[in-house]
């Protein structure tokens, strides 16, 4: 869920009141259909009345000539965010046992004319007035720029599947602060309670669809919990649904005045519960800094308003510093948000920020690193979108040190300068569902890297995520979508989508709901050519490759653990030991520290000659700017295996040609600070 900061998508002006809120932002069951078909993709029973699908032809099955699955990936969607934020922010449901008239109806406070549709006029401008009637007329919603109405009705998802989509990540989402300040709600604001409900309803939707096809396991909507299961679902031509989590305070891990409100035990308990629910990917922070990591800022007026929310939630404003690399967080800017700022205590003002200080000082915390490593142990994939540059850099360092591929960027919130590191690890990247011109432009910028690493591409629709979607290009636009058109595989014919009395046309309506995803892909093809769509069609294989590699990842044997350690010097302290063994004891809370001078060394005796191919150095704040890694079989004759003159601290991974060695020495040449050299942990690996 995201509400600002993406390129290529023009936003409507929103009121300052809206910004604060954004911050703190038929019969029972299916009945026999008179047009029941015998083909496997046509249900034998469907609720009557219901939406049309408007796709003909058999969905593609099996694999291509290379044995790879095919299909599109939506790496970021929110099927059940109508159950988030107190249950009244997003109106309508993805399905209802009582039928479409019950599922696609507006929130009670939107009747009779939208006068009390507070969040609607907050996000869509104007006075919020609209026709609240959904089924069967749909005069004013769903629409590409209406952020408060259901876009994920199950039949619309079915149309996307029929149009070639084969993977859908359903991010269970909520925000306790938005829930607490929104005027209308019918339930409490505990984030985990909402996450549990959304997970349950996803399984309920699977059962609802199964009934149309004759029983358990027979429908096209299949929740999967491992990559092999997902691959088989896609091979059968069905939709593999993966559960993810995007919330601001996972496991209760908020921070107040920089004091964490959770513990390692809370993180373990939370990860275990999520994994048991079927969750396989998640964000660790979103919008507000929390006890796990700092966020990538929102910008402009909205950024100021969210910064107010940050203060109200945590007791601290965002803090910035100059970036140390090419990556940067979004600029906060000095735009005012008067109504939001009125909520601040007397005498408290939003700070000003230097234009050249665009990075969040808050990175990955100790608890955050514990959570990252906990996800690795459970073979889960980590979403780095919304993480600050500092936090993202540390995550990528950790994953590179462990050769862990489970990293995802699902909706264009990552600095593009991270792209090659993500692909180098074996991770997966999807772009936000921008308008076709913007989508093609961003895809073109990273095309060479996809070619280099032989990977496919994805999109993140973020529907029901309060983000806004592609506007219509116009009936007279160049290369407009012409109906009907063929699916990318050529096996289906897709016409304009009709629900009730309303028929949508992407050219004049934009991407109003999920059923128009195939139409949008056709628009991308017409604007950008077949090549970008071919990359998208390879998305399912690439996503499942990342997932499978995460599942099969094995922690490397650390040859340094417990090895005999010595050093040129060790800092003395009356209260704490900084002796050499402290850097190979497996505890990242301890460290070795040298005297405060440049020429220092740290040496390990592995006990016997081993093949050494990689050394990892987890620096404390006192790091080496210039140093080399030396190897020896006898402790007398040394050869340099790796060196740098531009070390910047953090977690360094040095890889080199495998070399037999019993002794490993880190020879410090030039310090990065006025202190000495200090290492939390040293790792030595054969692979």
């Amino acid at each position: 869920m995201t509400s600002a900061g993406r390129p290529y998508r023009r936003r409507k002006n929103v009121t300052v009141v809206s910004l604060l809120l954004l911050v703190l932002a038929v019969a029972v069951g299916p009945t026999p259909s008179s047009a029941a078909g015998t083909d496997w993709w046509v249900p034998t029973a469907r609720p009557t009345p219901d939406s049309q699908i408007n796709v003909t032809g058999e969905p593609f099955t099996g694999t291509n000539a290379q044995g790879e699955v095919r299909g599109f990936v939506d790496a970021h969607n929110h099927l059940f965010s109508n159950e988030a934020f107190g249950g009244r922010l997003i109106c309508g449901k993805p399905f209802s046992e009582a039928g479409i008239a019950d599922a696609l109806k507006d929130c009670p406070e939107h009747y009779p004319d939208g006068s009390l549709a507070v969040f609607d006029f907050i996000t869509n401008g104007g006075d919020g007035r609209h026709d609240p009637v959904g089924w069967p007329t749909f005069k004013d919603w769903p629409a590409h720029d209406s952020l408060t109405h259901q876009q994920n009705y199950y039949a619309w998802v079915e149309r996307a599947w029929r149009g070639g989509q084969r993977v859908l990540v359903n991010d269970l989402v909520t925000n306790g602060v938005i829930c607490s300040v929104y005027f209308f709600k019918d339930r409490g604001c505990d984030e985990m309670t909402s996450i549990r409900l959304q997970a349950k309803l996803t399984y309920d939707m699977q059962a609802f669809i199964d009934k149309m096809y004759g029983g358990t396991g027979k429908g096209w909507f299949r929740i999967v919990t491992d990559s092999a299961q997902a691959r088989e679902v896609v091979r059968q031509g069905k939709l593999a649904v993966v559960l993810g989590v995007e919330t601001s305070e996972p496991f209760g891990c908020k921070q107040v005045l920089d004091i964490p409100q959770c513990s390692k035990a809370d993180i373990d308990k939370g990860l275990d519960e999520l994994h048991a629910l079927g969750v396989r990917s998640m964000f660790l922070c979103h919008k507000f800094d929390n006890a796990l990591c700092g966020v990538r800022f929102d910008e402009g007026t909205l950024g100021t308003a969210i910064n107010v929310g940050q203060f109200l939630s945590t007791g601290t404003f965002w803090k910035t510093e100059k970036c140390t690399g090419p990556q940067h967080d979004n600029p906060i800017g000095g735009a005012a948000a008067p109504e939001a700022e009125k909520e601040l205590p007397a005498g408290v003002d939003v700070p000003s920020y230097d234009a050249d200080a665009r990075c969040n000082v808050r990175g990955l915390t100790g608890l955050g690193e514990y959570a990252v490593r906990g996800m690795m142990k459970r073979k889960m994939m980590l979403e780095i979108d919304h993480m600050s540059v500092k936090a993202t850099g540390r995550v990528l360092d950790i994953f590179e040190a462990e050769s862990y591929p489970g990293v995802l960027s699902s909706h264009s919130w990552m600095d593009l300068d991270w792209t090659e590191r993500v692909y180098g690890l074996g991770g997966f990247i999807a772009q936000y569902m921008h308008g076709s011109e913007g989508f093609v432009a961003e895809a073109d910028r990273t095309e060479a890297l996809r070619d280099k690493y032989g990977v496919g591409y994805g999109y993140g629709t973020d529907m029901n995520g309060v983000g806004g979607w592609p506007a219509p290009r116009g009936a007279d636009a160049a290369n407009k979508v012409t109906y009907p058109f063929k699916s990318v595989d050529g096996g289906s014919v897709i016409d304009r989508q009709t629900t009730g009395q309303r028929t949508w046309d992407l050219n004049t309506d934009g991407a109003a709901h999920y059923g128009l995803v195939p139409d949008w892909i056709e628009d991308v093809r017409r604007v950008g050519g077949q090549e970008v769509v071919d990359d998208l069609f390879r998305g399912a294989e690439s996503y499942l490759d990342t997932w499978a590699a995460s599942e099969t990842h094995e922690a490397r044997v650390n040859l340094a653990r417990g090895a005999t350690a010595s050093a040129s010097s060790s800092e003395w302290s009356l209260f704490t030991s900084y002796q050499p063994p402290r850097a190979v004891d497996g505890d990242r809370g301890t460290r070795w520290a040298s005297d405060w001078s440049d020429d220092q060394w740290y040496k390990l005796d592995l006990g016997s000659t081993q093949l050494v191919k990689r050394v990892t150095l987890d620096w404390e704040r006192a790091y080496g700017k210039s140093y080399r890694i030396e190897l020896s079989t006898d402790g007398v004759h040394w050869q340099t295996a790796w060196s740098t003159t531009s070390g910047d601290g953090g977690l360094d991974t040095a890889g080199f040609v495998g070399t037999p060695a019993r002794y490993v020495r880190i020879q410090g040449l030039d310090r990065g600070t006025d202190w000495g050299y200090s290492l939390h942990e040293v790792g030595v690996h054969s692979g």
Side-chain angles (χ1 to χ4, degrees), residues 363-384:
L364 191 69
T365 68
L367 285 173
E369 183 160 335
Y370 185 83
V372 169
R373 295 184 183 278
M375 291 180 68
M376 292 169 62
K377 289 178 182 178
R378 293 164 177 83
K379 313 298 186 182
M380 297 172 73
M381 294 177 285
L382 175 65
E383 292 267 13
I384 58 174

Side-chain angles (χ1 to χ4, degrees), residues 250-251 253 262-273 284 291-292 366-372 374-375 378:
F251 328 124
C253 284
C262 67
S263 65
K264 291 181 177 179
D266 294 325
I267 293 169
D268 281 327
K269 180 180 178 181
L271 285 173
D272 286 342
E273 179 181 7
L284 289 181
L292 306 177
L367 285 173
E369 183 160 335
Y370 185 83
V372 169
M375 291 180 68
R378 293 164 177 83

Side-chain angles (χ1 to χ4, degrees), residues 568-569 594 596-601 667-671 677:
S568 55
S569 65
S594 75
W596 294 9
S597 60
D598 285 327
D599 293 322
Q600 303 286 337
W601 53 262
Q667 179 65 58
L669 303 173
D670 185 17
R671 294 167 293 158
Y677 302 91

Side-chain angles (χ1 to χ4, degrees), residues 111-130:
Y111 290 87
D113 61 0
S115 297
L116 294 179
V118 179
F119 200 74
D120 196 72
F121 68 71
I122 279 171
T123 56
N124 200 17
D127 60 7
R129 293 180 184 271
H130 64 275

Side-chain angles (χ1 to χ4, degrees), residues 32 36 76 94 104 110 141 144-145 150 180 196 204 230 250-251 314 319 333 428 439 469 484 494 573 617 619 621:
H76 194 104
L104 295 180
H110 287 206
W141 65 270
H144 74 91
D145 55 355
Q150 182 60 239
S180 68
R196 295 183 192 105
D204 289 349
F251 328 124
T314 69
K319 298 177 182 177
F428 183 80
F439 190 91
W469 297 275
I494 302 168
S573 170
L617 304 177
W619 296 100
R621 287 179 298 173

Side-chain angles (χ1 to χ4, degrees), residues 289-359:
D289 294 342
N290 62 24
L292 306 177
C293 50
V295 293
R296 194 166 191 227
F297 311 127
D298 284 85
E299 51 188 310
T301 301
L302 183 58
T304 299
I306 292 180
N307 202 8
V308 171
Q310 155 96 7
F311 180 85
L312 296 176
S313 175
T314 69
T316 59
F317 290 107
W318 288 326
K319 298 177 182 177
T320 66
E321 62 185 3
K322 290 185 178 181
C323 304
T324 58
Q327 300 84 8
H328 54 76
D329 295 319
N330 294 318
I332 301 172
E339 294 299 321
E341 293 176 68
K342 287 179 182 177
E343 301 298 321
L344 293 171
V348 176
D349 297 312
V350 177
S352 59
Y353 296 92
D354 293 336
D356 62 346
R358 290 185 55 180
C359 282

